[in-house]
Amino acid sequence: MMKLRKLVTLMLCLSMLVSAVAMAGCDDKEEDGKLKVGIIYISPKTDGGWSEAHAKGFAQAVENIGADKVQLAEIESIDDNDAQATETALRQLAEQGCELVFATSYNYMNTVVKLADEYKDIKFEHCSGYMSSENLANYFGQIEQARYLSGIVAGRMTESDKIGFVAAQKIPEVMRAVNSFTLGVRSVNPEAEVMVSWTNTWYDPQKEKEAAIALIDSGCDVVGQHQDSTATQEAAQEKGVYGIGYDNPMYSEAIKDAYLTAPIWLWGAYYEERIQAVLDGNWESGAYWGGMAEGVVALDEMTDLVPQEVQDEVNGLVDTMKEQGNAYVFAGPINDNTGELRVAEGESLDKDSQMSMDWYVEGITVAAE
Amino acid sequence: MNAGMMIALFLASAIRMSIPLLLGTVGESLTERSGHLNLGVEGLMMMGAATGYVVAYRTDSIILAILAGMAGAGLGSLIYAFLTISMKTRQDVTGLALTIFGTGFANTMGKALAGTTTSEKIRAFTKGQPFKPDLTAVSEVPVLGPALEYISAALLQHNLFVYLSFAIAVFAYWYLFHTRPGLHVRSTGENPAAADASGIRVTSLRYLHVIVGGMFCGLGGFYISVVNVGTWLDDIIAGRGWIVVALVIFIRWHPLKAIAGTLLFGALEIVGFRMQQIPALGSLPIFSQYAIDLYPYLMTIIVLVITYARKKAWQGPASLGQPYFREDR
């Protein structure tokens, strides 16, 4: 028995040694002349949701700028609540020689701020946060515009005038999602009510699906989502109702009778611009907040389930949306769901109020929180 | 929708949520009954979910996928069994390590398939409702018609795996309490030295039950990834393995009670979503999802406190967590 134990110990040591050597070998060799861009993602690049949208954007940027000029160093599945892992990953990118580093989830913020202060010669970009400094920019998009349009689709497609929405965690970003969606719904169908179920998770497909089914069981015939998985769409397919996705074009065979469209992220243009800026030596910090006009967000192509006249109606609004942006989405008069007037006629919700939104617009019932 | 249907749909939803917990709980009960505390349930469920999904996706065969799900988790529990039974490492620490290993293993395996979905063929099978009765004939009959419809909605419109899981739980109960090998398992868990002296082969018996128990946990993971969600996503088990560890104590290591216990815990997971029909209750803080997520653990603590307070109550397999040294009498 003793011998066996020694053997196992020896093998464990050996395997650790091997993996350590292998890890060391992973350090990319400096390739001359190429700009190295580091990225950390919260989930795998192929998650079909949030991270995939970012990864597609980077791939497009590299293709347009040229793989001979830019090289990506990507680290996936870094939990953004894990400050230790975030720091390790960012440091690794910094020490690998990345000149530009993107952190693509909200909770990376504090760590990014700290490292931006430490590595002054590296440019950092943080998605969906609000901190900036000389070498730290933040960026996000006005997905609310596409949400509003998807709300119109939902408002037109519902027959029961009950629309479900499976929401993630209660932060201003998701509140904006729920509200802009509802404003879109009620712009064409003032009778409709939107029932929101909060899962209080970012990521639990089983739970998301049950939340969607509960909404459908209580009479909703269209369900929308602010979740990164397709579970809500699957529930819609199984129960024979319509679904509106998020993040990415979600269409697949598996949800072909449910999926109508989705507000989607198109990061390619922004990433190309920022990488090019570093190559040209004119990168500047700032706070970017593009919308449909800039092409950062869009509505996915509507499927054939959406009647042509609804498609025309939605597409007819795209130009107005591009012109006026979120000012159109959050144009008064807007009441909250207790009946209090929040935005007066002729006014529009300002950016700060959008960024800290914590109230529901009229027409929303909270089903679960 | 009327109240009867609402309750029926609530029950159906609770059953769907309870199945992965039930498989895990039955598996872990078998393992713990033989005297081994395996805290790696979360890891095993992840491994089963990943291997099951990968094989379902690649081969399009549900049978191979089930076998792969069980084999994946079986492999994980084999590692655990080797370390704790043969190497006599600490069971709690090894189990925790298995959770970390299993999660990493599964996410690595599934990475290439993240966001994909299973094929039409697999779906047709996993969404099938083999016991759904045709009630058109009786739907007009007063009382009986609606009553049958409620029963059907709650109990009979599930996929095959739901019934299979209940059968596994009943079988595990029969095996543990009504067969000689089951008696051997329980006596090994209580006192391995005495079991050994009476001619029971403690080591091989423990290997067998740790591995089979792990396989059931894997089946629970398989149920989430292949049957219920039909897609692979990182960390798809989302902590349910830990609920299983608590559940095993809650149900007093008893596979039949596991059915009731997991149903209760499954219902707690979704009760928040269903509160919407009763708005007055939905707004109370005790029904907020945050509070509801806490109740399974709270109930487990209460059960623990009650059983420890009653001095004569059985406290679980006596040798649970203790390695068995044959030479050590």
Side-chain angles (χ1 to χ4, degrees):
Chain A
M1 215 53 191
M2 257 343 261
K3 256 189 187 163
L4 186 57
R5 202 181 290 196
K6 269 183 189 156
L7 192 69
V8 170
T9 317
L10 189 68
M11 273 171 51
L12 277 177
C13 289
L14 260 176
S15 66
M16 279 176 103
L17 198 67
V18 168
S19 53
V21 170
M23 293 271 267
C26 273
D27 271 357
D28 295 41
K29 285 154 214 88
E30 215 36 71
E31 282 182 61
D32 288 319
K34 278 193 190 179
L35 171 69
K36 222 167 185 196
V37 177
I39 306 146
I40 55 173
Y41 300 103
I42 189 170
S43 49
K45 288 193 290 180
T46 50
D47 68 353
W50 177 256
S51 293
E52 184 165 324
H54 284 282
K56 275 191 202 157
F58 285 112
Q60 189 195 324
V62 170
E63 200 182 303
N64 289 350
I65 295 174
D68 53 329
K69 294 189 191 134
V70 194
Q71 186 195 355
L72 300 181
E74 302 171 281
I75 304 182
E76 301 166 81
S77 301
I78 302 295
D79 179 357
D80 73 347
N81 286 318
D82 185 345
Q84 177 88 35
T86 310
E87 179 162 346
T88 311
L90 286 171
R91 247 178 229 291
Q92 192 188 322
L93 291 173
E95 271 145 30
Q96 267 178 32
C98 294
E99 287 174 55
L100 177 62
V101 173
F102 289 89
T104 59
S105 185
Y106 177 79
N107 277 337
Y108 294 144
M109 187 161 68
N110 292 342
T111 315
V112 175
V113 169
K114 182 175 143 195
L115 290 191
D117 195 46
E118 205 174 306
Y119 295 93
K120 288 281 188 206
D121 49 341
I122 297 176
K123 296 162 185 72
F124 289 89
E125 299 231 8
H126 176 235
C127 184
S128 76
Y130 53 82
M131 297 293 282
S132 61
S133 68
E134 207 165 284
N135 60 330
L136 167 62
N138 65 63
Y139 64 100
F140 206 29
Q142 302 172 35
I143 192 81
E144 293 74 28
Q145 299 163 16
R147 283 261 187 232
Y148 186 93
L149 296 180
S150 73
I152 295 179
V153 177
R156 287 288 185 214
M157 297 299 284
T158 180
E159 274 167 21
S160 65
D161 284 347
K162 274 188 177 175
I163 295 168
F165 196 94
V166 184
Q169 307 239 24
K170 212 180 271 178
I171 62 167
E173 177 193 342
V174 189
M175 289 301 276
R176 286 200 302 279
V178 176
N179 285 332
S180 53
F181 179 75
T182 307
L183 289 169
V185 168
R186 308 254 303 180
S187 73
V188 295
N189 186 350
E191 300 296 304
E193 122 186 74
V194 174
M195 303 171 76
V196 182
S197 255
W198 295 92
T199 59
N200 296 319
T201 55
W202 284 120
Y203 200 75
D204 188 342
Q206 167 119 347
K207 205 166 184 172
E208 291 160 26
K209 191 171 175 186
E210 283 304 325
I213 290 178
L215 288 168
I216 296 165
D217 282 347
S218 65
C220 297
D221 59 357
V222 183
V223 282
Q225 65 177 70
H226 185 112
Q227 298 281 4
D228 293 342
S229 90
T230 51
T232 305
Q233 307 304 311
E234 316 240 339
Q237 169 84 17
E238 258 172 56
K239 288 277 177 177
V241 302
Y242 294 126
I244 287 178
Y246 176 50
D247 279 328
N248 252 315
M250 280 184 166
Y251 179 84
S252 76
E253 266 304 288
I255 52 172
K256 62 177 188 304
D257 304 315
Y259 179 75
L260 301 175
T261 184
I264 54 172
W265 294 99
L266 299 169
W267 294 107
Y270 177 74
Y271 287 148
E272 187 181 339
E273 185 192 315
R274 300 302 277 176
I275 294 170
Q276 191 64 48
V278 174
L279 284 170
D280 297 343
N282 57 11
W283 185 93
E284 267 180 26
S285 172
Y288 176 86
W289 200 40
M292 288 184 80
E294 290 79 10
V296 182
V297 299
L299 188 69
D300 185 23
E301 201 178 316
M302 285 167 269
T303 57
D304 295 339
L305 299 174
V306 183
Q308 193 57 44
E309 66 264 24
V310 177
Q311 297 204 17
D312 292 342
E313 180 184 11
V314 170
N315 290 330
L317 249 185
V318 167
D319 283 339
T320 319
M321 202 57 98
K322 282 184 176 169
E323 244 163 65
Q324 302 182 22
N326 270 18
Y328 183 87
V329 175
F330 293 111
I334 301 177
N335 285 342
D336 67 17
N337 69 345
T338 63
E340 192 187 327
L341 183 72
R342 291 286 189 153
V343 185
E345 174 111 45
E347 283 175 28
S348 182
L349 201 63
D350 60 65
K351 185 179 173 184
D352 284 348
S353 310
Q354 288 181 37
M355 284 300 159
S356 59
M357 199 164 213
D358 61 352
W359 47 274
Y360 298 104
V361 300
E362 198 169 36
I364 293 179
T365 12
V366 180
E369 62 182 350
Chain B
M1 195 179 307
N2 61 41
M5 201 57 178
M6 258 166 56
I7 294 169
L9 289 173
F10 176 78
L11 194 60
S13 182
I15 290 175
R16 283 196 300 272
M17 290 305 268
S18 76
I19 294 306
L21 298 176
L22 178 61
L23 288 165
T25 306
V26 168
E28 178 69 4
S29 296
L30 281 180
T31 301
E32 293 195 14
R33 279 281 181 179
S34 79
H36 271 251
L37 175 69
N38 188 351
L39 295 181
V41 182
E42 175 82 5
L44 292 174
M45 288 178 82
M46 282 295 290
M47 290 175 85
T51 49
Y53 183 79
V54 169
V55 170
Y57 185 84
R58 299 276 183 221
T59 67
D60 241 5
S61 156
I62 193 81
I63 301 288
L64 285 181
I66 294 173
L67 292 177
M70 292 176 76
L75 176 77
S77 42
L78 176 65
I79 298 172
Y80 169 88
F82 176 70
L83 288 172
T84 56
I85 301 172
S86 298
M87 297 286 113
K88 320 235 189 274
T89 58
R90 289 267 310 248
Q91 293 177 15
D92 45 5
V93 179
T94 312
L96 290 174
L98 180 61
T99 287
I100 300 168
F101 168 78
T103 307
F105 172 89
N107 285 338
T108 310
M109 251 198 103
K111 187 167 169 273
L113 298 183
T116 58
T117 48
T118 47
S119 70
E120 199 70 32
K121 187 179 155 206
I122 300 268
R123 262 162 204 279
F125 191 80
T126 56
K127 309 293 178 210
Q129 302 170 336
F131 298 114
K132 186 180 179 180
D134 185 9
L135 293 176
T136 40
V138 290
S139 64
E140 295 304 313
V141 183
V143 187
L144 181 69
L148 283 179
E149 246 168 60
Y150 300 155
I151 293 172
S152 161
L155 301 175
L156 299 175
Q157 299 184 14
H158 292 288
N159 63 64
L160 187 62
F161 294 94
V162 170
Y163 307 106
L164 218 56
S165 306
F166 286 130
I168 287 174
V170 174
F171 176 80
Y173 158 75
W174 173 78
Y175 169 76
L176 272 180
F177 293 100
H178 294 281
T179 68
R180 185 162 285 274
L183 180 66
H184 292 173
V185 177
R186 288 183 290 135
S187 45
T188 304
E190 293 298 338
N191 189 337
D196 197 359
S198 69
I200 296 168
R201 293 164 66 190
V202 172
T203 302
S204 51
L205 180 138
R206 284 188 161 175
Y207 258 98
L208 182 69
H209 289 83
V210 167
I211 291 171
V212 171
M215 284 177 164
F216 285 146
C217 293
L219 214 49
F222 163 88
Y223 181 84
I224 291 182
S225 69
V226 178
V227 181
N228 207 4
V229 185
T231 178
W232 176 259
L233 299 152
D234 254 24
D235 294 335
I236 194 162
I237 304 300
R240 296 201 166 78
W242 295 110
I243 296 197
V244 165
V245 173
L247 253 167
V248 172
I249 303 166
F250 185 74
I251 56 123
R252 320 286 301 136
W253 298 268
H254 194 295
L256 268 195
K257 291 180 185 159
I259 295 179
T262 52
L263 209 55
L264 179 65
F265 279 40
L268 277 173
E269 273 202 82
I270 45 106
V271 73
F273 303 139
R274 301 269 166 179
M275 276 296 157
Q276 57 211 23
Q277 281 94 348
I278 322 161
L281 291 182
S283 56
L284 294 176
I286 51 161
F287 289 119
S288 100
Q289 194 64 39
Y290 292 109
I292 287 166
D293 287 344
L294 168 96
Y295 295 149
Y297 299 100
L298 197 65
M299 290 193 303
T300 307
I301 292 170
I302 293 171
V303 168
L304 273 177
V305 169
I306 292 173
T307 47
Y308 276 83
R310 285 162 47 208
K311 289 252 159 48
K312 281 187 187 145
W314 182 60
Q315 312 284 357
S319 80
L320 191 61
Q322 310 294 326
Y324 173 56
F325 293 91
R326 190 171 210 177
E327 299 81 1
D328 214 41
R329 291 280 161 87

